[in-house]
Amino acid sequence: MPIVRPEFLQPPLSPDLIARLTAIVGDKYAVTDAEELAQYLTEARNLFHGRSPLVLRPASTAEVSAICKLASEHRIALVPQGGNTGLVGGQTPHSGEVVVSMRRMDRIREVDTASNTMTVEAGVILQTIQRRADEADRFFPLSLGAEGSCTIGGNLSTNAGGTGALAYGVARDMALGLEVVLADGRILNGLSKLKKDNTGYDLRNLFIGAEGTLGIITAAVVKLFSKPRSVQTAFVGLKSPADALKLLAISQAEAAGSLTSFELLAEICVDICLKHGTDIRDPLAYRHPWYVLMEISSSRDDAAATVEAVLDRGIRNGFVGDAVLAASLQQRAAFWKLRETIPPAQKREGGSIKHDISVPVAAVPAFIAEANIAVAKLIPDARPVPFGHLGDGNIHYNVSQPVSGMTTQEFLARWQEVNAVVFKIALRMGGSISAEHGIGVLKRDDLPGVKDKTAIEVMRGIKALFDPLGIMNPGKVL
């Protein structure tokens, strides 16, 4: 299990300070009851358990500003929280901090189809943005497994990736402007719709990916895109990641920029989904060592023809074993349901040591092969469960505990050892230890060893400038 070493211990809050903080949001929106607090103190994987005397649920930027101003005056540590779906402990109050839950700030302030933008508050659920864009005959491409519960503020704070990153980029690429409350309560109003603005430092990008350590994102202007006229999804069986890489090359050549998703799944992913999932079926007639879930979205009515041409070339060249095209929206949804079922299905297989790495796309097959050997040497019978976004080199290299001979506690005690061998391989290949989940506390102590020393110094300097008292999500990232 990862060990959390708090660097900031929040002194107990006096009844007077709790009352003053409560007055900002109102009694109804200040949580102190232990049973009600519980939902804010743990996360989905149950790795981190926090503690807090108070959760505040502001409804406006002005209320967030007042909270931060009072917190700065009395050095009260704050932990911003969105949908509480993060995977690295960044949203958990480990040391008795006050939680600032952004879920009530859930207004869509404006949809501007002329500018192809939407202005949203930080607590808006990602799926709500997707639906509102669809209603406006537009498309918002950020898509993740937790999209029904994660918030756009959390997505931006962690610079979330997802299945559409291949074509549209990550959360950072979808934001034009931000509104942020700083540690001292000042409001940074940068809700710009401009695609071109060359007026000095791009402050927006400091807060995206900062995990709430520099300020609290309260609203954002996000980009909208034209809805594709045709979408075609295919589930493909192959022998190896190397064959998947060949299929990717052909897909990118044939699709000419309309390849929007290219997901790689090991056979064990399908196995555990069939075993533990609900209404999950194997899309293909017989099993394959590896699978690809690919999707082409086109502005013309040619997505199906393009996918067929890609698969025909793959079959003729001998590296596509079998494939099926989604014949309906229901079948497309079934393909994606299988992909999204992998994490919860793996959870039911016992302990899982997870890695969110990225390597250059061409290095993915070699990374998986080397990591499999290294993990087997370290823990015989451990079960690698690699899957993820082959199109951008981001692989979720998860490792499930052996079926027998080791308890979950014994397996998770090897967390740091497994991390070390997997990270070493990824870094040697020019990769990263965190592609889209962030640093939080899970990877905080690893960061100085993998990040350029000068970069770490600059990051610490930026933190000191924006948060000189160290009250914004202390102990996270740095």
Side-chain angles (χ1 to χ4, degrees):
M1 293 278 287
I3 299 172
V4 178
R5 300 182 179 87
E7 295 180 352
F8 184 104
L9 293 175
Q10 174 64 54
L13 293 184
S14 67
D16 176 64
L17 282 176
I18 290 178
R20 291 175 65 184
L21 287 166
T22 296
I24 295 171
V25 298
D27 290 341
K28 184 178 179 180
Y29 301 109
V31 181
T32 56
D33 175 72
E35 187 173 340
E36 192 176 352
L37 279 170
Q39 65 179 301
Y40 301 93
L41 306 183
T42 58
E43 39 72 57
R45 295 199 305 199
N46 205 33
L47 286 179
F48 302 104
H49 302 269
R51 57 186 180 86
S52 175
L54 178 66
V55 172
L56 300 172
R57 302 178 61 222
S60 67
T61 302
E63 289 183 2
V64 177
S65 174
I67 291 168
C68 289
K69 183 176 180 180
L70 184 60
S72 181
E73 290 172 356
H74 295 275
R75 200 172 182 180
I76 301 168
L78 304 175
V79 174
Q81 190 179 101
N84 195 18
T85 60
L87 298 175
V88 292
Q91 77 278 24
T92 304
H94 297 285
S95 307
E97 304 95 329
V98 171
V99 174
V100 182
S101 171
M102 302 300 291
R103 297 179 201 175
R104 285 184 67 218
M105 290 191 62
D106 60 356
R107 290 189 306 122
I108 294 178
R109 295 182 183 176
E110 181 189 47
V111 178
D112 184 348
T113 55
S115 298
N116 277 324
T117 62
M118 188 185 300
T119 304
V120 295
E121 292 184 340
V124 178
I125 300 297
L126 176 56
Q127 197 169 70
T128 301
I129 297 175
Q130 296 167 345
R131 289 173 177 168
R132 187 64 178 273
D134 184 66
E135 292 168 0
D137 197 34
R138 294 295 187 272
F139 177 57
F140 186 66
L142 187 63
S143 180
L144 355 158
E147 61 193 28
S149 52
C150 65
T151 64
I152 191 64
N155 299 149
L156 292 168
S157 292
T158 57
N159 192 27
T163 57
L166 171 61
Y168 297 99
V170 295
R172 184 187 305 281
D173 302 302
M174 299 179 203
L176 288 170
L178 296 181
E179 176 185 84
V180 182
V181 175
L182 303 181
D184 59 8
R186 288 179 296 164
I187 300 171
L188 180 63
N189 187 357
L191 290 176
S192 171
K193 302 178 185 178
L194 300 177
K195 290 184 171 65
K196 291 183 176 180
D197 183 0
N198 221 356
T199 53
Y201 303 143
D202 186 355
L203 299 178
R204 169 199 60 178
N205 275 326
L206 285 176
F207 298 97
I208 298 176
E211 302 184 42
T213 61
L214 302 180
I216 300 177
I217 295 174
T218 51
V221 177
V222 297
K223 298 179 186 177
L224 302 180
F225 296 81
S226 298
K227 290 172 68 173
R229 290 181 59 179
S230 61
V231 177
Q232 183 61 67
T233 311
F235 200 84
V236 187
L238 311 105
K239 292 180 181 178
S240 68
D243 284 345
L245 203 58
K246 294 174 186 176
L247 182 63
L248 174 63
I250 291 176
S251 301
Q252 291 175 320
E254 292 281 352
S258 60
L259 180 66
T260 45
S261 297
F262 201 92
E263 300 289 295
L264 179 69
L265 293 71
E267 183 179 13
I268 190 174
C269 298
V270 176
D271 288 340
I272 62 175
C273 288
L274 292 173
K275 180 179 177 182
H276 299 296
T278 303
D279 296 325
I280 300 291
R281 296 181 180 179
D282 191 337
L284 301 179
Y286 59 94
R287 305 306 297 276
H288 299 265
W290 291 88
Y291 298 88
V292 159
L293 173 57
M294 60 179 289
E295 193 160 89
I296 286 177
S297 307
S298 177
S299 59
R300 303 188 298 271
D301 295 321
D302 61 352
T306 303
V307 173
E308 289 170 2
V310 168
L311 296 176
D312 180 65
R313 284 184 61 183
I315 291 170
R316 284 189 288 108
N317 290 335
F319 55 81
V320 169
D322 193 10
V324 59
L325 276 64
S328 65
L329 290 175
Q330 291 77 11
Q331 194 171 18
R332 174 180 180 254
F335 291 174
W336 281 107
K337 183 179 179 181
L338 190 154
R339 163 64 178 84
E340 292 160 4
T341 298
I342 298 171
Q346 190 190 8
K347 187 174 183 179
R348 296 182 65 181
E349 286 290 303
S352 175
I353 298 175
K354 300 179 183 291
H355 307 90
D356 167 41
I357 66 92
S358 62
V359 295
V361 174
V364 169
F367 166 79
I368 292 174
E370 288 194 34
N372 285 353
I373 292 170
V375 168
K377 184 178 179 180
L378 186 67
I379 306 178
D381 298 323
R383 296 170 293 157
V385 186
F387 65 95
H389 323 302
L390 179 60
D392 54 33
N394 173 198
I395 299 298
H396 301 295
Y397 188 82
N398 298 348
V399 183
S400 280
Q401 72 180 76
V403 174
S404 61
M406 180 177 283
T407 67
T408 297
Q409 186 175 5
E410 289 170 338
F411 177 71
L412 293 178
R414 309 290 296 276
W415 189 290
Q416 300 298 340
E417 294 176 71
V418 177
N419 277 182
V421 298
V422 173
F423 289 167
K424 183 178 180 180
I425 296 167
L427 294 168
R428 178 165 48 77
M429 293 182 175
S432 168
I433 67 169
S434 181
E436 62 180 2
H437 291 164
I439 298 299
V441 295
L442 184 65
K443 301 177 185 177
R444 181 194 65 194
D445 294 341
D446 296 308
L447 192 62
V450 303
K451 194 83 172 174
D452 175 75
K453 180 182 178 181
T454 301
I456 291 289
E457 291 172 354
V458 171
M459 288 169 65
R460 292 189 184 281
I462 293 170
K463 170 71 172 172
L465 176 65
F466 280 92
D467 181 24
L469 297 177
I471 64 170
M472 299 303 299
N473 214 5
K476 315 295 173 54
V477 184
L478 295 171

